[in-house]
Amino acid sequence: MGERPARAPIGAPGSLPQAIVVMGVAGCGKSAVGIALAAALGVAFIEGDRLHPPENVARMASGEPLTDQLREGWLDAIGERITASVGQGEGVVAACSALKRSYRARLSGFCPAIVFLYLQIDAATARWRVGSRKGHFMPASLVDSQFAILEPPTADERALTLDATRPVSELVSATVHQLRWSTAARPAPPT
């Protein structure tokens, strides 16, 4: 799986972005990586799954994928939480599938400086991971529907792509390193 550095986020050279969204299909490790990344950066963590309305959770638990319309309010709730943190001068890491470019654009509408960390994984590994976890509403049967709509970030998006099969600690270290490198490498803005 190819890894791609992020486009330079907004901020002082060498600084990290205030908002990072860890994204990808179910089972890629969004929550585990997001929690560890937030702890490493000393910022808040937002668990996107907890912001789904009960109707969405019930639908997914019954094996029914969400539509774009059903995701709108959920994406807005995540975007609002990100905006609240950034508005208070606090950094934040959020876990959100953000599978489509339009979903990422919607989140960026709340905070244009969001950098997305795409955890790339193959379908078989994602299905195995989702099938192995306990107490989560998302069944393994929905993994294929997520891959069916997945639009990985492209070079013109503010995104970093990493191989989700790497250990969490490596993913966190690689993210911090690549984001610091990308901001340090950016030329100073004109005065």
Side-chain angles (χ1 to χ4, degrees):
M1 294 186 189
E3 296 192 2
R4 185 170 46 81
R7 288 185 59 218
I10 295 172
S15 69
L16 293 174
Q18 280 190 286
I20 300 169
V21 172
V22 184
M23 60 156 294
V25 298
C28 71
K30 294 181 293 293
S31 296
V33 172
I35 290 167
L37 182 59
L41 298 175
V43 301
F45 174 70
I46 298 168
E47 175 54 74
D49 281 347
R50 291 199 179 119
L51 298 177
H52 273 295
E55 301 79 26
N56 283 7
V57 172
R59 186 179 290 260
M60 288 184 284
S62 71
E64 206 175 325
L66 298 179
T67 63
D68 289 351
Q69 293 74 29
L70 290 170
R71 285 186 173 95
E72 288 176 355
W74 171 65
L75 292 166
D76 290 350
I78 294 168
E80 289 166 2
R81 289 276 185 97
I82 291 169
T83 299
S85 289
V86 171
Q88 295 173 2
E90 300 170 358
V92 64
V93 174
C96 173
S97 55
L99 298 172
K100 290 185 176 183
R101 184 182 184 107
S102 62
Y103 302 167
R104 295 187 294 276
R106 190 176 191 103
L107 290 170
S108 294
F110 286 90
C111 179
I114 290 175
V115 172
F116 293 91
L117 170 56
Y118 170 44
L119 299 178
Q120 186 177 40
I121 194 168
D122 63 274
T125 303
R127 277 192 299 273
W128 179 82
R129 285 182 177 182
V130 172
S132 299
R133 64 187 181 187
K134 305 286 186 234
H136 196 280
F137 59 81
M138 178 83 164
S141 62
L142 286 181
V143 171
D144 289 338
S145 70
Q146 292 208 328
F147 276 97
I149 66 166
L150 175 64
E151 297 170 357
T154 56
D156 64 328
E157 292 182 77
R158 303 169 63 77
L160 169 65
T161 299
L162 294 177
D163 178 352
T165 63
R166 293 170 60 185
V168 170
S169 60
E170 285 183 21
L171 291 167
V172 169
S173 294
T175 300
V176 171
H177 173 77
Q178 290 192 36
L179 290 174
R180 280 201 175 120
W181 178 85
S182 72
T183 56
R186 184 181 65 245
T191 55

